[in-house]
Amino acid sequence: MTTQSNTPADSYRDPHGAAQTLFTEPVLVVNQKAKLIELTNEYKVMDQHGREIGSVAEVGQSALKKILRFVSSLDQYMTHRLEIRDASGQPQLLLTRPAKIFKSRVIVTRPDGSQVGEIVQQNMIGKINFAMIVGDQKVGAIKAENWRAWNFAIVDHTDTEVARITKTWEGLAKTMFTTADNYVLQIHHQLPEPLRSLVVATALTVDTALKQDSRGLG
């Protein structure tokens, strides 16, 4: 017989009673769900023990948009909207990447519509960097060290590394995370808001919202 817990639906509890959420875990493992043809971007997010604690899904796609994604390489000229959800499917953050011409910009908001900040591409040549902006203040950045190897450093406003995105992490159980579709966000210490939300938003959507220039068959 199971009993219902009063713990929020977006959290688990470790043996010491601490709640685990997308915004408290030091390690998040992101898995892009494999699709034959990627018309809708979907990710599941796990903790370092393989427990699913959230997801990311693209929302608001029309049938026409899906057809265009299938037959062309127009992705970068389309507006993309993604929801970051907790384990129960409740939205936690909404990301909007307006149609881009040259540089990407991602607007991060909360479910009530209040804006958290923006993630703005800083350059087009060399190793791509994105600034995290709140109001008119730069609070951090994500720096691509090796895009092919999925090495990204995330720094705060003092240029101190506070988190890292990589394809590998020694602490993961290799039998649990063997797919090439996984990547890992390691947060070095608890971060204040709104930096924490922007770090999570950046990491969970780095492929779709930032890196993706063109998919499809064109």
Side-chain angles (χ1 to χ4, degrees):
M1 180 176 174
T2 59
T3 57
Q4 297 220 343
S5 168
N6 292 325
T7 304
D10 65 333
S11 65
Y12 295 90
R13 288 190 177 274
D14 67 19
H16 302 289
Q20 295 174 279
T21 74
L22 292 168
F23 303 100
T24 59
E25 283 296 285
V27 175
L28 297 178
V29 181
V30 184
N31 175 258
Q32 184 177 14
K33 295 179 181 178
K35 293 181 177 62
L36 180 60
I37 298 177
E38 187 177 342
L39 300 181
T40 301
N41 300 299
E42 295 181 10
Y43 300 79
K44 64 179 178 179
V45 186
M46 299 164 284
D47 67 11
Q48 59 189 297
H49 306 294
R51 290 173 292 207
E52 189 168 341
I53 59 174
S55 62
V56 183
E58 186 158 8
V59 296
Q61 286 201 102
S62 66
L64 175 60
K65 181 177 178 181
K66 290 186 178 183
I67 292 171
L68 287 173
R69 295 186 76 179
F70 177 75
V71 301
S72 71
S73 296
L74 298 176
D75 246 15
Q76 65 177 316
Y77 305 113
M78 299 178 180
T79 296
H80 294 276
R81 294 182 176 87
L82 299 107
E83 281 185 353
I84 296 177
R85 301 167 177 168
D86 64 23
S88 68
Q90 293 300 308
Q92 301 297 300
L93 295 172
L94 175 66
L95 285 82
T96 301
R97 195 202 76 179
K100 60 172 280 190
I101 301 299
F102 297 110
K103 294 181 179 179
S104 286
R105 180 171 67 98
V106 177
I107 303 164
V108 183
T109 57
R110 302 203 184 278
D112 63 4
S114 60
Q115 184 165 318
V116 178
E118 296 188 8
I119 305 162
V120 182
Q121 185 175 341
Q122 298 293 285
N123 62 321
M124 295 178 58
I125 299 174
K127 296 177 180 177
I128 303 299
N129 295 330
F130 296 88
M132 301 178 198
I133 307 293
V134 176
D136 58 357
Q137 299 278 324
K138 180 178 177 180
V139 299
I142 176 172
K143 300 182 177 183
E145 297 177 343
N146 184 329
W147 211 308
R148 187 173 297 276
W150 274 80
N151 290 330
F152 300 86
I154 301 177
V155 301
D156 63 14
H157 68 286
T158 68
D159 209 38
T160 299
E161 183 175 309
V162 295
R164 175 164 288 272
I165 298 172
T166 182
K167 274 288 191 181
T168 58
W169 184 59
E170 292 180 356
L172 294 178
K174 292 183 180 180
T175 56
M176 194 181 302
F177 303 110
T178 56
T179 173
D181 288 330
N182 289 328
Y183 63 91
V184 180
L185 168 67
Q186 304 167 58
I187 299 177
H188 303 329
H189 54 81
Q190 190 63 34
L191 301 174
E193 288 293 348
L195 180 59
R196 172 77 191 206
S197 288
L198 288 174
V199 167
V200 170
T202 301
L204 298 192
T205 57
V206 65
D207 182 50
T208 300
L210 305 182
K211 179 185 174 188
Q212 181 180 46
D213 286 334
S214 63
R215 304 273 175 110
L217 307 179

